Amino acid sequence: MRHLRFLLFVILLATLALGLPSTVLAQDGSPSGPLWINTDYPSIVVGADETVTLNLRIGSTLAHTVDLAVTGLPKGWTAEFRGAGRVIQSVYLAPDVSPDIDLRLIPSEGVTPGTYEFTVVARGSGLTAEFPIELNVKDKLPAQLTFETEFPTIRSGSDATFSFSTTLKNDGDEDITVVLTADAPREFAVTFRASGRDITNLPTDIAAGSSQTITISAEPLTTLAVGSYPINVKAEGDNLDAALSLTAEVVGQPQLSITAPDGRLSGEAVLGSSTPIKLILKNSGNSPAVGVTLSATAPAGWTVTLDPEQILEVPAEGEVEVTANIEPAEKAIAGDYVITFRAQPNEGASKSAEFRVTVQTSTLWGFAGVALIAVAVAVVGLAVVRFGRR
């Protein structure tokens, strides 16, 4: 009987508990509760005529619709909740999903400087979440720096200078003087230029509401390995700073050169014959040189043929031997002449080298001259013998 009474008592307590009304839970912005709302910057300084937009985060452990409101809004001010580009009044929350919501605050005309406080409220399914916001309104908007660029990453070869075009803005109502600094790998020398002058070691003035175009150049001090090199730039002044992250991305690039086996770009050629000269096409780069076309520019009337004229590939840190067959013009006189050899890969800059050629007369003409002299001496000798007897 005693056990039966205890069982009935437990059933009665359970029935009363199920019949109790739901309670209202207030959250302080912590995402640990069943309903919460907050923003990254709950207290900010703004100008007297500035429209403020705050990004809100709101979430719930339940799936339900939540109404949004602002309480304590100063007289004459306007508050709008915006989502997906439209003005909204409520939002549907899925469990543990935070939609992107903005709160736009438009101050009244002629608002006086001071501190204004209000509260963002979210209500739904018997739950309430509140978060306080504070705006410090000033007559003049303090200097606000932003540093940006359209192309934060530039790709180039290992010996190229990386130039970034950036914009430094002051969105405030007060002028500011800033100093530019760069944190770059030791392989680079970083310089800043604005309005055609070097400002690497000089403070820069940014007028209120204006912007300055700044060219940031990162020049390699050595041949760079293929890879990405971060360059972090900062503008600092008047207790403000703006940072910009840049990347110099070094890609593989061939480095061609034309030389001779002994390193001397000179040789000899003989009139009336074709003289072969050995050349070496080197690639000291970190990428193969593909589809290289060889050509030569020689004095008028000369004939120069290259074997081969087309090279499929010169591997990185490799070389290819080339034979240049040189035949001087028929009317060329003895002396020094210059031939320019050029190598043009499919991608990349062409490379050229000047080769000095010394022209000599043929040895056949030398033999002919010696023979003529011998004949002349013989004729003179016979004449002396014959007329000497008389």
Side-chain angles (χ1 to χ4, degrees), residues 190-215:
V190 179
T191 56
F192 303 93
R193 292 186 65 85
S195 302
R197 66 189 184 100
D198 190 347
I199 59 171
T200 303
N201 300 311
L202 298 175
T204 301
D205 296 327
I206 309 295
S210 68
S211 62
Q212 180 78 274
T213 299
I214 297 175
T215 300

Side-chain angles (χ1 to χ4, degrees), residues 252-257 281-293 310-320 343-349 351:
Q253 186 180 39
Q255 294 287 342
L256 293 177
S257 62
L281 180 61
K282 287 186 176 182
N283 178 12
S284 57
N286 49 21
S287 179
V290 180
V292 182
T293 300
Q310 296 283 339
I311 299 175
L312 184 62
E313 179 181 297
V314 183
E317 301 297 335
E319 61 183 41
V320 174
Q344 175 66 65
N346 283 343
E347 296 183 0
K351 294 296 180 179

Side-chain angles (χ1 to χ4, degrees), residues 23-289:
T23 58
V24 175
L25 302 176
Q27 303 300 324
D28 60 358
S30 171
S32 61
L35 178 63
W36 53 269
I37 186 170
N38 61 33
T39 184
D40 285 331
Y41 308 105
S43 179
I44 59 177
V45 179
V46 299
D49 58 351
E50 181 184 5
T51 297
V52 182
T53 300
L54 300 175
N55 179 254
L56 301 178
R57 287 189 298 268
I58 181 171
S60 176
T61 57
L62 306 175
H64 60 135
T65 299
V66 174
D67 295 326
L68 303 174
V70 176
T71 61
L73 194 67
K75 185 178 180 179
W77 286 47
T78 302
E80 293 179 347
F81 293 96
R82 301 184 68 89
R86 296 179 177 272
V87 177
I88 62 173
Q89 296 177 330
S90 62
V91 59
Y92 176 78
L93 299 179
D96 300 322
V97 176
S98 180
D100 189 14
I101 299 174
D102 289 332
L103 171 60
R104 180 174 296 179
L105 299 168
I106 306 172
S108 61
E109 293 185 5
V111 61
T112 57
T115 300
Y116 295 83
E117 299 177 349
F118 53 93
T119 303
V120 181
V121 182
R123 292 189 180 92
S125 300
L127 302 174
T128 299
E130 298 181 349
F131 195 81
I133 301 293
E134 180 183 272
L135 297 184
N136 188 357
V137 178
K138 293 182 175 285
D139 281 330
K140 284 187 175 182
L141 186 64
Q144 297 183 25
L145 283 177
T146 58
F147 217 167
E148 57 188 22
T149 180
E150 292 185 5
F151 305 103
T153 300
I154 293 180
R155 304 179 65 198
S156 192
S158 59
D159 59 350
T161 297
F162 296 80
S163 293
F164 302 86
S165 179
T166 67
T167 302
L168 183 61
K169 293 182 179 180
N170 178 5
D171 294 321
D173 295 328
E174 299 177 1
D175 298 346
I176 185 173
T177 300
V178 300
V179 175
L180 299 171
T181 58
D183 180 14
R186 62 182 181 180
E187 294 91 347
F188 287 91
V190 179
T191 56
F192 303 93
R193 292 186 65 85
S195 302
R197 66 189 184 100
D198 190 347
I199 59 171
T200 303
N201 300 311
L202 298 175
T204 301
D205 296 327
I206 309 295
S210 68
S211 62
Q212 180 78 274
T213 299
I214 297 175
T215 300
I216 303 173
S217 298
E219 182 179 2
L221 301 176
T222 184
T223 301
L224 301 173
V226 174
S228 296
Y229 297 83
I231 301 172
N232 298 312
V233 183
K234 183 178 287 188
E236 298 178 281
D238 296 349
N239 297 321
L240 294 174
D241 65 77
L244 184 63
S245 296
L246 307 173
T247 302
E249 187 173 334
V250 177
V251 296
Q253 186 180 39
Q255 294 287 342
L256 293 177
S257 62
I258 302 173
T259 185
D262 59 359
R264 298 173 55 190
L265 292 174
S266 61
E268 297 179 350
V270 179
L271 283 174
S273 63
S274 178
T275 303
I277 294 178
K278 297 295 183 182
L279 300 174
I280 301 296
L281 180 61
K282 287 186 176 182
N283 178 12
S284 57
N286 49 21
S287 179

Side-chain angles (χ1 to χ4, degrees), residues 284-347:
S284 57
N286 49 21
S287 179
V290 180
V292 182
T293 300
L294 298 174
S295 60
T297 302
W302 286 51
T303 301
V304 179
T305 60
L306 296 165
D307 183 23
E309 290 185 351
Q310 296 283 339
I311 299 175
L312 184 62
E313 179 181 297
V314 183
E317 301 297 335
E319 61 183 41
V320 174
E321 185 177 86
V322 178
T323 300
N325 296 294
I326 301 173
E327 184 177 349
E330 292 182 0
K331 297 182 179 180
I333 60 176
D336 292 339
Y337 297 82
V338 174
I339 299 175
T340 301
F341 295 98
R342 184 172 289 103
Q344 175 66 65
N346 283 343
E347 296 183 0

